[in-house]
Amino acid sequence: MTNFEDTSWKPHEECGVFGIYSKDGKEIPPAYACYNGLLALQHRGQESCGIAVNDSGVISYSKDMGLVSEVFSDSVLNRLGGQIALSHVRYSTSGDSVRENAQPLVMRYIKGTLAIAHNGNLTNAHELRRELEKNGCIFQTTIDSEVIAYMIARERVGAVSIEEAVFRAMQKVEGSFSLLVMSPQKLIAVRDPNGFRPLCMGKIGDDIVFASESCALDAVGAEFVRDVEPGELIAAGPSGLKYHYNKKPANRSLCVFEYIYFARTDSKIDGLGVYESRKEAGRLLARQSPVEADVVIGVPESGIDAAIGYSEESGIPYQKGIVKNSYIGRTFIKPTQLERERSVRIKLNALESEVRGKRVVLLDDSIVRGTTSGRIVSMLKDAGAKEVHLRISSPPFLWPCYYGTDIPTREDLIAVKHTVEEIAQMNYADSLAFLSLDNLPDMLKGKCSGYCDACFSGKYPTEIPQEMIDHRPQSYCTPIQRL
Ligand code: SF4
């Protein structure tokens, strides 16, 4: 989603969606399915969450700020009875971290009630919103998902079905969207023509399930059916499944950072396992940037998979060298720098017995501003590591993202201003290497037929409106800062 506040762009977020269509709601109560699905997608957003259910055409919902386990109790879930449901977890920046921006959005219009849950970021939302406002629309939230809702409602007036209205609206919005829409009778899943964000379909008996990642299907015992294709709309309704395909050709552009960091290790996206790709990144780094060392360790969680790959390829033993406190959230999705820094201090600790007196290869997934890696390297050296060689399983961040990832402007990206050697020194590392851009296709093992790497390469798969570029000044960017 994109956030609007005043008339300026606000930073972007990474979200998760989950929905279920059932004829009778008997296989698994839809609200409980959503609850379990959202727990599995919690890594995609920890600030707010919500579930909307449809009981024979009547849509009710519950949403609030907080983690899924904090927002939903048994008594709330028991009140959310019905046959169809959709749900959402959200990450946002501090200014927009408010209840009214929580999803699903539920709106009443001339044809009844609609609920929508959106992961992504529209690149023409500003323009569309301005046009809608000129025509008298009043917005309740500051997110671009509401623009989509208005577009669908407007198209529905002249369309024969809700899926036709959603399909028509999709021709007018640009950017990234993996979207679920619930009408009184149907659950509709749509993925943008480039397929920036993941979306997959599963089934439990006769019930149809859609989720941002396959780990959420596993969590509810659903069998994976397939990914929703870029530009595809799938509608689940009383007469079964209907499919519509966007006829406008677009390059497949799945966000490569889903594999590197966002997605859960046990998910499979567009035919490739996330764990497989992360391990491969480690293998490639071992070939690309070898170093003599005694032990390979990974920064939990996503650095561990790459560390295993590096170890397998190099023959240097893998050890658990850093212990993570699992009971606090990901620093990446904490909205303020202060919150992030506090989290780092209580999140990780070095295992002195595994690193003292050793030359360590430390695998991490990315360096953005460069402040966190230095703290981890120092922590290992304080624990007695003789040398620390930092290996990063992604190329350096050099460009902002306009498709829903909260990457700072160029002036805040450490790799824009400093050489690799300088970054190594600033992070107290004895050496540093990033996975090269050329290695990304190999990391994806030829299984991902098209991907976006614009934040590394500067090559954006779609045209970015000048207005969007102009409305992304530094002050509106919350840093992508991990750990
Ligand atoms: S610019 Fe980067 S973060 Fe954004 S969609 Fe492309 S690869 Fe993902």
Side-chain angles (χ1 to χ4, degrees):
M1 298 178 298
T2 305
N3 299 285
F4 297 88
E5 190 169 77
D6 301 325
T7 53
S8 306
W9 289 103
K10 294 288 285 179
H12 311 145
E13 55 240 4
E14 184 66 12
C15 302
V17 299
F18 182 93
I20 180 165
Y21 175 88
S22 168
K23 281 196 174 136
D24 52 20
K26 286 187 180 151
E27 192 78 42
I28 175 169
Y32 277 90
C34 285
Y35 178 80
N36 291 332
L38 290 187
L39 284 177
L41 297 174
Q42 186 77 83
H43 59 286
R44 298 184 74 87
Q46 298 181 336
E47 283 190 37
S48 67
C49 57
I51 299 174
V53 293
N54 180 339
D55 190 2
S56 305
V58 178
I59 294 179
S60 50
Y61 65 95
S62 176
K63 59 182 178 180
D64 215 331
M65 307 302 294
L67 298 173
V68 177
S69 58
E70 294 164 351
V71 169
F72 293 102
S73 60
D74 267 341
S75 65
V76 173
L77 292 171
N78 286 336
R79 285 201 299 274
L80 292 171
Q83 303 77 43
I84 316 172
L86 57 69
S87 54
H88 191 265
V89 283
R90 177 172 189 257
Y91 157 67
S92 77
T93 58
S94 53
D96 294 306
S97 185
V98 291
R99 191 178 178 275
E100 62 261 30
N101 284 348
Q103 295 198 34
L105 288 179
V106 179
M107 60 186 288
R108 286 171 191 83
Y109 73 123
I110 195 159
K111 296 277 187 178
T113 312
L114 274 186
I116 76 168
H118 170 213
N119 172 207
N121 183 62
L122 303 188
T123 51
N124 66 339
H126 240 70
E127 184 192 325
L128 293 173
R129 184 176 169 119
R130 202 169 42 235
E131 187 193 313
L132 287 162
E133 282 176 334
K134 271 190 203 156
N135 286 307
C137 292
I138 298 168
F139 285 81
Q140 306 284 324
T141 74
T142 57
I143 52 176
D144 63 353
S145 313
E146 197 176 6
V147 172
I148 301 179
Y150 269 115
M151 300 297 289
I152 294 169
R154 201 162 71 166
E155 294 297 335
R156 181 67 182 96
V157 177
V160 296
S161 64
I162 179 65
E163 58 265 37
E164 188 188 321
V166 174
F167 195 68
R168 283 194 199 176
M170 291 312 107
Q171 313 307 308
K172 295 181 179 161
V173 296
E174 292 165 9
S176 66
F177 52 88
S178 279
L179 186 72
L180 297 181
V181 180
M182 182 167 69
S183 73
Q185 292 206 314
K186 294 172 187 166
L187 180 65
I188 297 163
V190 197
R191 198 168 166 201
D192 69 69
N194 294 85
F196 283 106
R197 299 292 159 203
L199 189 61
C200 61
M201 177 168 73
K203 63 176 184 177
I204 314 173
D206 292 332
D207 296 354
I208 299 297
V209 182
F210 297 104
S212 289
E213 291 181 37
S214 62
C215 66
L217 301 184
D218 298 337
V220 299
E223 177 192 338
F224 176 85
V225 174
R226 67 174 174 85
D227 292 287
V228 177
E229 289 297 312
E232 185 180 23
L233 178 153
I234 304 178
S239 49
L241 290 171
K242 288 191 180 155
Y243 307 90
H244 300 258
Y245 296 93
N246 195 317
K247 295 187 182 64
K248 274 194 263 174
N251 294 328
R252 278 183 93 106
S253 314
L254 178 73
C255 170
V256 76
F257 206 54
E258 291 280 351
Y259 289 108
I260 294 165
Y261 175 73
F262 283 138
R264 221 170 79 167
T265 295
D266 52 339
S267 285
K268 199 170 182 180
I269 303 172
D270 287 355
L272 175 63
V274 172
Y275 176 69
E276 224 182 314
S277 65
R278 287 182 187 164
K279 220 166 80 157
E280 191 60 24
R283 287 181 176 280
L284 290 161
L285 267 169
R287 293 205 286 273
Q288 179 202 299
S289 306
V291 62
E292 288 203 3
D294 305 306
V295 65
V296 180
I297 67 174
V299 178
E301 297 288 338
S302 35
I304 288 177
D305 305 339
I308 292 169
Y310 195 103
S311 166
E312 285 179 1
E313 187 67 24
S314 65
I316 303 168
Y318 167 78
Q319 288 291 349
K320 180 174 183 155
I322 297 175
V323 175
K324 180 186 166 194
N325 178 348
S326 304
Y327 298 97
I328 52 171
R330 285 179 146 196
T331 321
F332 175 82
I333 52 179
K334 296 291 175 197
T336 70
Q337 183 65 20
L338 185 65
E339 282 177 37
R340 276 189 293 277
E341 290 190 4
R342 279 188 186 143
S343 296
V344 171
R345 284 184 219 123
I346 59 169
K347 191 163 187 174
L348 301 175
N349 199 11
L351 264 178
E352 188 183 330
S353 60
E354 302 308 309
V355 300
R356 177 157 292 282
K358 292 183 181 163
R359 297 167 299 171
V360 173
V361 186
L362 176 66
L363 271 288
D364 200 357
D365 52 66
S366 53
I367 295 182
V368 186
R369 292 179 183 234
T371 47
T372 308
S373 307
R375 281 190 212 112
I376 299 169
V377 174
S378 301
M379 182 178 79
L380 291 170
K381 290 201 167 174
D382 289 347
K386 208 157 67 178
E387 294 170 13
V388 178
H389 300 273
L390 199 47
R391 295 292 178 269
I392 306 298
S393 60
S394 67
F397 279 112
L398 295 172
W399 301 92
C401 172
Y402 298 101
Y403 307 116
T405 301
D406 206 359
I407 295 171
T409 47
R410 276 170 63 75
E411 59 233 62
D412 283 340
L413 295 170
I414 193 169
V416 171
K417 289 188 186 158
H418 298 281
T419 64
V420 172
E421 290 70 29
E422 285 169 347
I423 300 170
Q425 273 180 14
M426 292 159 80
N427 284 285
Y428 320 109
D430 295 276
S431 74
L432 167 68
F434 292 87
L435 187 71
S436 76
L437 259 180
D438 295 345
N439 267 327
L440 287 181
D442 289 333
M443 180 191 92
L444 302 174
K445 305 183 95 174
K447 289 187 185 168
C448 181
S449 52
Y451 59 89
C452 172
D453 62 10
C455 48
F456 308 121
S457 67
K459 292 179 187 159
Y460 294 93
T462 64
E463 200 178 321
I464 307 297
Q466 189 58 42
E467 185 174 22
M468 183 160 198
I469 296 168
D470 295 343
H471 278 92
R472 226 172 163 271
Q474 183 186 0
S475 59
Y476 293 126
C477 289
T478 289
I480 181 176
Q481 183 65 60
R482 297 185 48 267
L483 277 170

